[in-house]
Amino acid sequence: FIIEKRKAGSGEAWQELTTTSGSIFNYTEMDINTDNNAFEYRIKAVNKCGRTVYSEPHTNILLQGYKDENFDINLTFSDYLGWDNGVSNYTIYESINNGAFMPLEAGVNPNENTLIENNPDQYKKCYRVYANEFMGERTNSWSNEICFFFSPELYVPNAFTPTGDNINDGFGVVGVAIKDYNIKIYNRWGEQLWESNSIAEKWIPVYRGADVQMGTYIYVITYSNFDNELFTKTGTINLIK
């Protein structure tokens, strides 16, 4: 058996990887970078009649992704080619903070963007795609693994408009890789108007049963990372009506 390889979908000439005995039915390619490219593989052989025959080509799944400005993750992956009846299902698996890989979303489609929303208490997130063969021998294939690392970061807007239109009515913070969190809001006289330990909670500007007036207010945020390092962020927020 002669094992051949080329970049998937490239149309390049097939390159010979190795030759094995006709009694060996498996081969593992080592030291290959599957994070940047998908590859096609096929087997070439000469039968007893002297005729050259080829297997069907098979590809690996290439998973890629990036973090956007909201600290969300966007994933795309190529499809697996080679099974006679195709793929029955693709499933994205996720590992959070060095935990075990667990199924995150089934029924995803190749070559389409999958959005995974930010969770502020996650500092490392890794992903793989699992494909099942439809009918046939019901074999399966895994993609490469990609990981995203987050240092503690906060995005704090400088204004909000509590006008009752359900658009930007509350003052909220977006963050990532945050373990412990506390925010306090003060007026210009140093009077504390609001406090929260949840980064998901928004300040609705009501104090002692009355609406807070338009103006500039001060926030003080303290937070920690997963090494228990403490950070402080202060600034002003403009309440516009």
Side-chain angles (χ1 to χ4, degrees), residues 181-237:
Y181 171 88
N182 176 268
I183 182 172
K184 295 181 176 72
I185 303 292
Y186 299 89
N187 62 21
R188 60 180 178 174
W189 296 283
E191 184 179 14
Q192 183 178 316
L193 306 181
W194 183 71
E195 181 179 8
S196 177
N197 292 316
S198 171
I199 197 171
E201 187 176 3
K202 292 186 177 183
W203 178 40
I204 305 301
V206 175
Y207 180 60
R208 292 183 177 177
D211 290 341
V212 175
Q213 298 301 307
M214 184 171 66
T216 300
Y217 295 86
I218 301 165
Y219 64 81
V220 178
I221 301 173
T222 56
Y223 59 99
S224 69
N225 62 15
F226 285 82
D227 292 323
N228 294 315
E229 295 178 285
L230 294 176
F231 305 87
T232 300
K233 186 178 183 68
T234 62
T236 59
I237 176 73

Side-chain angles (χ1 to χ4, degrees), residues 52-67:
T52 301
V53 293
Y54 298 92
S55 72
E56 71 279 10
H58 281 254
T59 70
N60 62 294
I61 303 168
L62 175 62
L63 173 63
Q64 297 178 303
Y66 66 92
K67 295 182 290 187

Side-chain angles (χ1 to χ4, degrees), residues 6-230:
R6 68 182 179 184
K7 288 184 180 180
S10 67
E12 297 175 354
W14 290 92
Q15 302 295 317
E16 182 177 322
L17 281 178
T18 190
T19 300
T20 71
S21 163
S23 61
I24 295 176
F25 300 103
N26 59 72
Y27 169 76
T28 301
E29 184 181 11
M30 307 297 291
D31 300 322
I32 178 174
N33 186 351
T34 57
D35 290 331
N36 294 325
N37 294 288
F39 297 98
E40 291 179 271
Y41 295 88
R42 73 178 183 184
I43 309 299
K44 181 170 71 174
V46 177
N47 65 19
K48 291 183 178 181
C49 296
R51 179 185 172 195
T52 301
V53 293
Y54 298 92
S55 72
E56 71 279 10
H58 281 254
T59 70
N60 62 294
I61 303 168
L62 175 62
L63 173 63
Q64 297 178 303
Y66 66 92
K67 295 182 290 187
D68 64 23
E69 66 276 6
N70 296 317
F71 309 115
D72 295 333
I73 291 174
N74 295 261
L75 299 177
T76 57
F77 61 93
S78 61
D79 42 3
Y80 185 94
L81 301 176
W83 292 323
D84 288 342
N85 298 305
V87 176
S88 65
N89 185 65
Y90 291 99
T91 302
I92 294 177
Y93 276 68
E94 179 183 57
S95 166
I96 298 173
N97 299 346
N98 297 316
F101 273 94
M102 301 296 292
L104 174 69
E105 185 174 352
V108 289
N109 296 316
N111 304 307
E112 294 183 5
N113 184 71
T114 299
L115 178 68
I116 300 170
E117 294 185 353
N118 162 51
N119 187 320
D121 63 359
Q122 297 171 355
Y123 59 88
K124 181 182 178 183
K125 303 167 83 168
C126 296
Y127 298 91
R128 297 183 74 187
V129 173
Y130 178 78
N132 290 102
E133 180 184 8
F134 180 68
M135 300 180 66
E137 297 180 5
R138 299 189 182 278
T139 53
N140 55 69
S141 181
W142 287 95
S143 75
N144 56 307
E145 176 184 325
I146 61 172
C147 293
F148 300 87
F149 299 87
F150 299 87
S151 58
E153 296 182 59
L154 287 176
Y155 167 70
V156 184
N158 58 16
F160 70 119
T161 56
T163 56
D165 61 358
N166 295 320
I167 301 175
N168 204 26
D169 280 339
F171 169 65
V173 174
V174 177
V176 67
I178 306 298
K179 182 181 179 183
D180 297 309
Y181 171 88
N182 176 268
I183 182 172
K184 295 181 176 72
I185 303 292
Y186 299 89
N187 62 21
R188 60 180 178 174
W189 296 283
E191 184 179 14
Q192 183 178 316
L193 306 181
W194 183 71
E195 181 179 8
S196 177
N197 292 316
S198 171
I199 197 171
E201 187 176 3
K202 292 186 177 183
W203 178 40
I204 305 301
V206 175
Y207 180 60
R208 292 183 177 177
D211 290 341
V212 175
Q213 298 301 307
M214 184 171 66
T216 300
Y217 295 86
I218 301 165
Y219 64 81
V220 178
I221 301 173
T222 56
Y223 59 99
S224 69
N225 62 15
F226 285 82
D227 292 323
N228 294 315
E229 295 178 285
L230 294 176

